[in-house]
Amino acid sequence: MTSTASSTDTRQGQAPAERPHTWQSRLRRFGYAAPPRGDVRAHLVPPYTAPSPRVWAVLGLRDEFGALLVRWSAWLGPLAVTLVAGVMRFWNLGSPKAVIFDETYYAKDAWALIHRGYEVNWPKDANDLVLQQGSGVALPTDPAYVVHPPVGKYVIGLGEWMFGFDPFGWRFMAAVLGTLSVLMLCRIGRRLFRSTLLGCLAGALLAVDGLHFVMSRTALLDQVLMFFVLAAFGALVVDRDKARARLAAALPVGADGRPHPDPSVADSLRHGWRPWRLVAGLCMGLAFATKWNGLYVLAAFALMSVVWDVGARRIAGARRPYVAVLKRDVLPAFVSTVPVALATYLASWTGWILSPDNGKGGYFRDWAATTGKGGDFTWLPDWVRSLWHYEYEVYQFHVGLSSPHAYQSNPWSWIVLGRPVSYFYESPAPGADGCPAATTDKCAREVLALGTPVLWWAACFAILYVLWRWLFRRDWRAGAILCAIVAGYLPWFLYQERTIFFFYAVVFVPFLCLAVAMMLGAILGPPGSTERRRTVGAAGAGVLVLLIAWNFIYFWPIYTGQPIPIESWRSRMWLDTWV
């Protein structure tokens, strides 16, 4: 007993420098800062930042009018940014009047889906016929083998149904979703950063990103996928705020009028109905039903939302937050996302399922009644077995796709814009097709899927910044941004031998913009900074934003297919791999 007591006394008498270091103390040397201890309600649901009263004094406005302006700016700011983005995306949308790049597949598949419920085989000269005859072109009946689910093509077909079977019609919905994604990012950024300025800045960066811009003017599936992924992320962020507000409201209020952590509440509270999580499940299902890589996003986002619940219960005082979440939150979270997403995916095949199974319906629709007769699963409906066989064949196609392509690229090169994709290229002679007659040489007319270089190269540093914020400052916002980038980007490293393209990166472009906006917020300076610090930060951040905007304007001709002298085109080919 004496020995034990003596040992204990010796340990308690150690100097602070001799005590074992905690992981937090070890991380402090790298910049780690523990979360601030304060009002639990403010920690669970942080307030939105408001301009300093000095701003209203400088502008000569009354505080009441300033408060009204702040409230209105929550929507007026994002709407203003969206208006600019929309004008740019819809301007001359039908140009080039051609079937560019993979529009040769998706524009025609979309037209077939909205008329027959399944894709069809088109003749080899179909593109010329479509451009000549538009909606009057004869629609084939033979089913076609396609390797992507139908939702993205239904979305493209909606524009064709409204405006006709022409370039404007099949690009219309891509432009709509591209414009709406700017609005969503403004609002998501505002909610993430609790700042209307940073939210609008993130949306403005997306508005002037070249890859997002080009994809907003082209009928490809990846723009549709990007929209649903961003919508799912936004729905989960809203759900996080709602759940944490409900938890904060349930905590007991102390004598000081502030809520205090309470283990019994934090361990036992059930969140109940969470409609925004259902919305996220629906959006993730639509993403999965557009392209299969949406499945990675479903897994990453579902896990992220559960981790958020753990953090909320820990702040509220839960003794064992992981156990509490396992008991109270995991099953509802699973039901609200995974089954909803899978049901949405299955429902997207309704047109194919309802097509005839006598050989006159969708591709492989009659497989169970013909080639697939017999076996161990004949108790399942024929359409289920036929669909399962179809999906298996598609999987085999994807894992074996290795045909070389002039514009394929390795995902390692994407983040630095190593190999963009040329969707369209012509060399009009002087005086023809918009090429100035005074041009001494021929012109170049190109639509190049290239991210705005200054923005993407700044994003390389922004990713490192948010990684540091997440690891050493435990900033959940940085973790959420990283999770979305990882879900959209890293899975492609598993398929480096496959034929893949840079434009797949459009799925995580909004989150690169959020990362850059977060970095710009740090450059501006934290709340409470001195006027000198704010001035220097505003100058630095402003210069970077202006450079990004200038860079987008500079590359505008090769984003929109404008004819420019060949020397002007060459001056924009900054890297040899862009040609």
Side-chain angles (χ1 to χ4, degrees), residues 542-575:
V543 167
L544 179 56
V545 171
L546 289 175
L547 282 174
I548 292 170
W550 163 81
N551 204 207
F552 174 76
I553 295 169
Y554 179 72
F555 284 101
W556 173 271
I558 62 172
Y559 291 147
T560 56
Q562 302 298 301
I564 55 176
I566 192 68
E567 287 304 318
S568 296
W569 175 82
R570 289 195 183 105
S571 70
R572 288 165 171 81
M573 297 297 105
W574 287 1
L575 301 178

Side-chain angles (χ1 to χ4, degrees), residues 217-230:
R217 295 168 55 86
T218 313
L220 269 64
L221 302 182
D222 300 84
Q223 184 75 353
V224 183
L225 174 62
M226 177 278 306
F227 177 82
F228 289 130
V229 168
L230 182 60

Side-chain angles (χ1 to χ4, degrees), residues 392-468:
Y392 175 76
E393 292 294 326
V394 169
Y395 172 77
Q396 292 295 110
F397 169 85
H398 282 305
V399 298
L401 181 62
S402 58
S403 303
H405 192 283
Y407 287 101
Q408 71 183 69
S409 59
N410 190 285
W412 285 106
S413 69
W414 292 358
I415 197 67
V416 293
L417 305 179
R419 182 61 170 165
V421 183
S422 181
Y423 287 172
F424 173 83
Y425 186 88
E426 284 184 348
S427 298
D433 296 330
C435 182
T439 304
T440 57
D441 199 351
K442 63 183 178 180
C443 285
R445 189 182 179 207
E446 183 174 31
V447 176
L448 186 67
L450 169 73
T452 302
V454 175
L455 173 59
W456 278 69
W457 295 338
C460 295
F461 296 96
I463 290 173
L464 295 177
Y465 170 71
V466 295
L467 180 62
W468 173 78

